[in-house]
Amino acid sequence: MAETATRSKPTSSGSKSRRGGARSSGNRAQQTQEKAALGSESPEQLRDYFKQMSLIRRFEERAAQGYTQAKVGGYCHLNLGEEATVVGLMSSLYNSDYLFTNYREHGYAIAKGIDPNRVMAELYGRTTGTSKGLGGSMHMFDTDVGLLGGYGIVGGQIPLATGAALAIDYRGDNQVVMCQMGDGTTNIGAFHESMNIAALWNLPVVFVVINNYLGMGTTVDMASAESELYKRAVAYRMHGERVDGNDVLAVSEASGRLVEHARKTGEPAMLEAVSHRMKGHSVVDPAKYRSSEDAQAARAADPVAAFRDQLISAGVLDEDGASEIEQTVQADVDAAVAFADDSPHPDPSNLFDYTYATPVANDSRRLPADPVF
Amino acid sequence: MAVITYRQALHDTLREEMLADENVFLIGEEIGVFEGSYKITAGLLDEFGEKRVRDTPIAEEGFVGAAVGAAMLGLRPVVELMTINFSLLALDQIVNHAAKIYGMFGGQSNAPMVLRTPGGGGQQLGATHSQNIELYYAFVPGLKVVAPSTPADAKALLKASMADNDPVLFLENLALYNTKGEVPDEVAPAEIGKAGIVRPGSDITIIGYSRMANVATQVADKLQQDEGISAEVVDLRSLRPLDRETVVESVRKTGCAVIAEDDWLTYGIGAEIAASISDGAFDYLDAPVRRVAAAEVPLPYAKPLERAALPSAESLTTAVHQTLEAVGHRR
Ligand SMILES: Cc1ncc(C[n+]2csc(CCOP(=O)(O)OP(=O)(O)O)c2C)c(N)n1
């Protein structure tokens, strides 16, 4: 299921064929493989993956709704369509491992272990949010579960993640850093500088590229001279691999393998998960640039529905069991919305609380109309 | 009390702090094997090893960002950026990341790090290697920017910067490395955000920082000696936070001010100081505030042109004379 950069065999799921919406998931051969993979995870584990994927699906639908109700401000980028990737990746990290993401991170925050209440509260800009309402959708953070931030600058998180791995290496600790990013990010200078540094210094960081083949409206082949992104690892003598991001088990397996390798050897790696973005770039983007075949393909590839079917046909779940999970999840999301709604807004008198960690003389605490003297 | 160079003061402080705290490490281009472009880190690789004195590839954004990430996990990196001109490659990591980590995540993380970097012209290095662009950083809440002018200050401010839990841009100046001064055996960390009155006076206030604070002191000494003019010199020491109080208090006393800065005039540090004086000492002013700054050109290589473009003791003396004339000062 995975392709590695060291084997340079041509791939059928390259960006050019995908532009028209041709997706290969769902064919017979692949299903047989999936069934085999199903065997290695416990039924509870499988049901938990389904639950998390459903939770993220529901959560993101409600986030979009909150946005249209103007309860959520700013930008709002959703993980709809990427649930299998998100859950698969997070299943490979311990609580003590670190995660750096881009701005499309609600699902990661939840799957890394943050209470959905706090994630929703951050979207609502409340003090109970993951960043006390100071960060918003793009900037969630929680030391307790090792989410070291969502970042709004494309690629800005990559040097930071590399540095976190440097700190682990420096102390001789045993954690791993995962650095998530989109396909559009791989053309930023920071990506190349950091890949080189991580390989050069043997730092335990797994760079994960979510190739949903779109960066806003720019397709991966419009932006990347080598659009099979995992191959870029070769330039840094790094192991690179591509996995079907619609398959939670495949993602979990590949990611678990690379994370454990990094933990054992300190070697960095790159994982490309080929996935779908079901909606526009953000909630307000109607995605007019997208062909109807492609939009249809994205809907058809729905990883949550596919995994549900897969679990039912494997006998891990029955229809009742599935809807029970779906109802629980629905209730959790309702509760998150209520929690966010009931939480206090930050008080303007706290505006200057978080500019400096060490207080200094003459720190300006002027409001716009205050006189300087 | 020993007389040492500014370079030596920096070196000694780095070494002392590395001995005191094993979380302190140095990272930058050519700081190890090559011993630093300006030799501040000479000998430290031998003493502390590659783990703590880390030579990097030429990848300013990558290694500055890696330092930010390491700082987020509690290490205390001291980055050497070969010159401030190259810091522009790392601007995103400094301005969009280091400066924002503490505020954006509601105080859950911070980036305790020092970015040491020399700036300034006068070495015939041409336009891209001679800039004073500290303003770009002094503009940004979340960063602290300090600019020591003497060896003693270099030591006190570097200690303070290394003890601070925020990112501090520590501005050096190529022209200062070989300057000498007395440094006490025990130096206490400076208070970041405090200016200093390096020379008291009553006729006029001269405000400078880094190299120009020293030029101001020389000029003031000479004016006293030759003409009996009593100039007060304020060394800003910290550009963010900015100690407006000390500046304004001095100008309220003297009634006039000249600002000496190595950066460009328009929108420069001096503009902010002049505005502060207007805010806090308008009624006390006997003459317009004057600014002595670099000519607004990409700095030329040719020596006479470069010299003409940079502020000097002569240009500062002229500005002081003109201001005092406007005030009607009598010797
Ligand atoms: C440095 C920078 N340039 C541009 C932007 C605007 N921008 C935000 S997201 C985005 C597209 C990124 O696409 P990709 O990396 O594929 O991630 P995805 O949105 O698919 O998760 C752009 C151009 C930005 N935030 N930062």
Side-chain angles (χ1 to χ4, degrees):
Chain A
M1 186 145 299
E3 294 167 41
T4 66
T6 31
R7 276 186 261 144
S8 61
K9 83 174 182 202
T11 163
S12 58
S13 52
S15 60
K16 295 201 171 76
S17 62
R18 280 195 288 117
R19 175 111 213 218
R23 289 277 175 163
S24 59
S25 69
N27 68 40
R28 285 268 158 231
Q30 210 164 342
Q31 274 175 8
T32 327
Q33 259 179 330
E34 279 162 358
K35 269 215 170 135
L38 214 48
S40 68
E41 313 258 349
S42 74
E44 296 82 61
Q45 184 73 76
L46 295 168
R47 283 193 286 269
D48 187 55
Y49 289 165
F50 175 64
K51 183 172 178 184
Q52 286 192 57
M53 287 167 67
S54 305
L55 175 61
I56 295 168
R57 171 62 54 91
R58 267 286 105 131
F59 185 95
E60 291 293 55
E61 288 167 357
R62 288 302 288 272
Q65 202 181 334
Y67 194 88
T68 51
Q69 295 167 333
K71 299 255 186 189
V72 177
Y75 299 142
C76 189
H77 313 89
L78 306 176
N79 287 117
L80 291 171
E82 300 178 355
E83 295 89 346
T85 301
V86 175
V87 172
L89 289 172
M90 291 307 98
S91 76
S92 67
L93 297 181
Y94 292 118
N95 221 14
S96 51
D97 290 327
Y98 296 116
L99 173 71
F100 288 79
T101 72
N102 68 3
Y103 44 82
R104 196 183 294 286
E105 93 270 35
H106 310 161
Y108 291 92
I110 292 168
K112 188 84 175 80
I114 305 180
D115 183 348
N117 288 6
R118 296 183 54 224
V119 178
M120 193 62 86
E122 189 63 31
L123 296 183
Y124 277 53
R126 307 301 168 104
T127 55
T128 51
T130 59
S131 304
K132 302 194 176 89
L134 274 67
S137 166
M138 302 195 288
H139 306 117
M140 300 193 174
F141 196 100
D142 189 343
T143 331
D144 290 344
V145 301
L147 173 62
L148 294 194
Y151 294 84
I153 304 290
V154 167
Q157 73 276 28
I158 313 176
L160 301 178
T162 307
L166 167 62
I168 291 168
D169 181 62
Y170 190 97
R171 295 207 173 104
D173 286 345
N174 199 28
Q175 294 116 311
V176 172
V177 180
M178 182 175 282
C179 180
Q180 176 269 15
M181 70 194 87
D183 46 272
T185 310
T186 60
N187 301 311
I188 291 259
F191 171 83
H192 298 278
E193 294 190 15
S194 301
M195 293 276 280
N196 183 55
I197 286 173
L200 202 59
W201 295 347
N202 225 33
L203 302 177
V205 51
V206 178
F207 300 99
V208 178
V209 178
I210 316 301
N211 187 354
N212 57 22
Y213 97 97
L214 282 169
M216 299 185 74
T218 303
T219 58
V220 69
D221 49 312
M222 284 163 74
S224 299
E226 172 52 87
S227 60
E228 291 175 28
L229 300 171
Y230 68 101
K231 290 183 181 169
R232 295 192 170 201
V234 172
Y236 305 101
R237 284 183 180 267
M238 197 186 287
H239 175 76
E241 200 168 301
R242 173 183 261 195
V243 68
D244 177 4
N246 287 326
D247 182 341
V248 62
L249 301 177
V251 174
S252 173
E253 187 278 322
S255 157
R257 195 162 26 77
L258 299 191
V259 164
E260 287 320 311
H261 186 75
R263 201 186 306 283
K264 237 181 264 143
T265 63
E267 282 170 20
M270 177 181 170
L271 180 65
E272 175 189 6
V274 179
S275 181
H276 272 296
R277 191 185 80 195
M278 284 181 131
K279 300 275 187 173
H281 168 66
S282 67
V283 174
V284 292
D285 169 24
K288 292 208 173 108
Y289 45 84
R290 208 161 179 174
S291 72
S292 59
E293 300 96 298
D294 176 56
Q296 173 127 31
R299 275 194 302 276
D302 183 339
V304 185
F307 194 54
R308 189 184 198 274
D309 292 348
Q310 200 184 346
L311 292 187
I312 289 176
S313 67
V316 173
L317 211 53
D318 58 15
E319 195 57 54
D320 285 350
S323 26
E324 198 177 309
I325 288 175
E326 282 156 350
Q327 277 162 25
T328 316
V329 155
Q330 175 68 59
D332 288 349
V333 173
D334 288 345
V337 170
F339 175 83
D341 243 334
D342 292 345
S343 292
H345 291 278
D347 191 302
S349 68
N350 299 121
L351 180 62
F352 297 107
D353 287 0
Y354 297 115
T355 308
Y356 293 113
T358 301
V360 256
N362 294 301
D363 177 15
S364 171
R365 291 181 168 237
R366 292 179 56 254
L367 286 167
D370 291 346
V372 173
F373 277 95
Chain B
M1 181 112 56
V3 174
I4 60 171
T5 60
Y6 189 93
R7 164 183 289 113
Q8 188 71 39
L10 293 170
H11 169 90
D12 292 353
T13 312
L14 290 176
R15 183 172 175 274
E16 285 162 25
E17 298 301 313
M18 288 180 83
L19 287 169
D21 181 355
E22 64 177 28
N23 284 322
V24 174
F25 72 102
L26 312 184
I27 178 168
E29 289 158 14
E30 308 294 352
I31 62 169
V33 177
F34 193 80
E35 302 198 302
S37 296
Y38 299 100
K39 305 298 172 207
I40 308 299
T41 53
L44 297 180
L45 173 65
D46 285 347
E47 185 171 358
F48 294 100
E50 282 177 9
K51 177 177 155 189
R52 299 189 64 196
V53 181
R54 205 170 275 258
D55 277 321
T56 69
I58 307 165
E60 281 80 5
E61 185 176 11
F63 73 74
V64 169
V68 180
M72 288 172 75
L73 291 201
L75 297 189
R76 306 195 72 92
V78 180
V79 181
E80 178 168 307
L81 276 158
M82 209 178 263
T83 77
I84 198 167
N85 308 281
F86 318 144
S87 75
L88 297 180
L89 282 302
L91 201 58
D92 175 58
Q93 286 299 323
I94 301 170
V95 175
N96 280 328
H97 295 92
K100 306 296 193 285
I101 296 292
Y102 188 64
M104 190 162 76
F105 299 128
Q108 293 177 89
S109 188
N110 56 303
M113 62 191 289
V114 181
L115 292 144
R116 291 181 39 241
T117 187
Q123 324 291 315
Q124 282 197 281
L125 297 173
T128 61
H129 280 56
S130 307
Q131 300 176 91
N132 284 84
I133 47 178
E134 48 274 14
L135 170 64
Y136 300 177
Y137 301 101
F139 187 56
V140 181
L143 292 177
K144 293 168 180 170
V145 180
V146 299
S149 55
T150 66
D153 264 1
K155 193 155 197 186
L157 275 166
L158 186 53
K159 277 194 167 185
S161 304
M162 291 175 76
D164 202 281
N165 287 325
D166 294 297
V168 183
L169 184 94
F170 187 93
L171 186 73
E172 299 166 12
N173 186 305
L174 296 177
L176 294 182
Y177 282 141
N178 287 332
T179 58
K180 287 188 175 169
E182 286 190 340
V183 178
D185 299 334
E186 288 288 314
V187 176
E191 194 178 349
I192 294 180
K194 284 272 195 196
I197 309 252
V198 290
R199 192 188 181 288
S202 53
D203 294 336
I204 187 166
T205 300
I206 308 175
I207 301 128
Y209 65 93
S210 191
R211 180 184 84 97
M212 288 311 287
N214 293 349
V215 173
T217 307
Q218 286 158 27
V219 166
D221 287 348
K222 192 153 190 316
L223 286 170
Q224 180 79 63
Q225 212 172 20
D226 297 355
E227 308 177 44
I229 293 168
S230 166
E232 178 147 301
V233 175
V234 176
D235 181 351
L236 295 176
R237 287 198 180 117
S238 167
L239 303 179
R240 174 172 286 270
L242 182 61
D243 185 354
R244 293 185 168 90
E245 303 285 341
T246 298
V247 171
V248 160
E249 214 172 285
S250 173
V251 178
R252 284 180 178 177
K253 187 172 74 179
T254 62
C256 57
V258 174
I259 302 159
E261 57 188 323
D262 256 329
D263 64 340
W264 293 305
L265 185 87
T266 306
Y267 307 116
I269 305 281
E272 182 57 38
I273 303 295
S276 301
I277 293 171
S278 152
D279 285 323
F282 184 77
D283 291 341
Y284 299 78
L285 282 177
D286 297 323
V289 175
R290 288 201 52 149
R291 288 176 281 160
V292 177
E296 303 198 68
V297 292
L299 205 67
Y301 163 78
K303 201 159 199 147
L305 290 185
E306 186 186 46
R307 196 171 283 162
L310 292 174
S312 61
E314 293 73 47
S315 50
L316 179 55
T317 305
T318 304
V320 169
H321 279 143
Q322 287 170 348
T323 302
L324 287 174
E325 259 164 47
V327 172
H329 175 86
R330 312 234 172 283
R331 273 178 259 160

